[in-house]
Amino acid sequence: MKKNIKIDKKIVYNFFQFLFIIFSILIILSFLVNSINYFQIFLRSVIFSIIFIFWVYFEKKLRDFFPTKIFIILIFVILFTYFFSSYENFKKLDLVLGIDGFSEKISKGEIKIISLLSNPLIYQRYKTTEEIFYEKLKEFNQSIEYLELKIHEYVNKIRTKHNLTTLNFDERLREIARYHSKDMAEKNYFDHVSINGETLADRFKKFNYECKILAGNYVYEGAENLFLGYIYKSYIYEKISGKIISYEFYSLEEFAYEVTNSWYNSEGHRRNILFEHWKNEGIGVFITSDGKVYVTQVFC
């Protein structure tokens, strides 16, 4: 004789409710682990709360559809979290709502609604890693002349500490230095001699620059220091995918100091910087699209 097995719906309901809470927490945490911004956490928490309220409101109506209900809510959590994790999606939302430029104004601190939103540094972190990288790259590219002059300033500070005369910044030497930095970047090499065999003396001739420094019985015809680095100090990446999730960038001043300090800590480069007979120098910087920075320093 067959026995009918009765299932307590309340137990099943509580079980699925428990699973929903566990899975929802895991999903939210999986997104928040990659977040580097408190605004993201705040925003996602608010959205999740709204979804939870929606679930409670329709709880009785959906009680008989546990799997469907859980599936729908989890999909909502994933989609909403993904959508609001992209700064570009905020811009698209601006267009849909007819308030184009709203997110940009918040990011620049032009709209003071909440102190958290009005801080451009905090909001900047909400942007994607790629967006932040290219903004920093743009900053460096727009400040090349400033960077060159800052390196020149630090070089003269070193010379002053060693009781040497400061060097003049020579525009023509900068042109030669920029030419070599660009050539190294575009042809992917790092050397005083180009791939075509061009030396510093050849570059002087190319630009019709004559360099002859008389010192006793010696004639010096210029010298050159090189540096290769990146606009960032370090980065963090995901071990599985290898994707970079955040950078620690140099400020322009920090980078200029890093260049001069690197030269000073190298015997050959330091000798060039502290050579007492130099009168002029030119600094030439070239930056590639992946943030690699080539610096050439030419003395005469």
Side-chain angles (χ1 to χ4, degrees), residues 193-210:
V193 180
S194 74
I195 291 177
N196 299 326
E198 187 179 68
T199 64
L200 176 60
D202 295 324
R203 290 189 282 278
F204 278 147
K205 289 179 183 178
K206 190 184 192 76
F207 286 85
N208 296 316
Y209 192 97
E210 185 176 358

Side-chain angles (χ1 to χ4, degrees), residues 78-121:
I78 294 171
L79 291 178
F80 271 81
T81 307
Y82 173 76
F83 181 85
F84 287 104
S85 66
S86 170
Y87 182 70
E88 287 299 322
N89 287 335
F90 269 109
K91 293 180 182 178
K92 292 175 185 176
L93 186 61
D94 286 353
L95 291 173
V96 172
L97 298 177
I99 50 174
D100 188 26
F102 184 70
S103 296
E104 286 287 350
K105 289 180 179 178
I106 290 179
S107 68
K108 294 176 182 177
E110 294 176 10
I111 298 178
K112 310 276 184 186
I113 299 177
I114 303 174
S115 59
L116 184 63
L117 292 178
S118 65
N119 186 335
L121 292 176

Side-chain angles (χ1 to χ4, degrees), residues 54-94:
F54 172 83
W55 167 52
V56 171
Y57 181 78
F58 289 97
E59 182 179 356
K60 292 181 180 178
K61 295 181 180 180
L62 299 174
R63 183 166 294 189
D64 294 330
F65 303 94
F66 301 116
T68 305
K69 178 178 67 175
I70 294 171
F71 177 74
I72 291 173
I73 293 175
L74 291 182
I75 291 297
F76 267 112
V77 171
I78 294 171
L79 291 178
F80 271 81
T81 307
Y82 173 76
F83 181 85
F84 287 104
S85 66
S86 170
Y87 182 70
E88 287 299 322
N89 287 335
F90 269 109
K91 293 180 182 178
K92 292 175 185 176
L93 186 61
D94 286 353

Side-chain angles (χ1 to χ4, degrees), residues 139-140 143-159 167-171 174 178 250-261 263 273 281-285 293 295-297:
E139 178 192 343
F140 265 72
S143 307
I144 283 178
E145 185 173 349
Y146 172 81
L147 189 58
E148 292 167 342
L149 292 173
K150 203 68 183 174
I151 294 170
H152 171 66
E153 177 187 327
Y154 288 157
V155 167
N156 274 336
K157 283 183 178 180
I158 292 173
R159 287 179 64 88
L167 301 173
N168 298 313
F169 193 85
D170 189 316
E171 297 285 346
R174 169 163 66 183
R178 283 183 173 180
Y250 283 106
S251 68
L252 294 168
E253 293 75 16
E254 286 174 334
F255 188 84
Y257 178 80
E258 176 66 21
V259 173
T260 51
N261 189 54
W263 285 336
I273 290 175
E281 78 163 346
I283 306 292
V285 172
V293 186
V295 183
T296 301
Q297 179 184 37

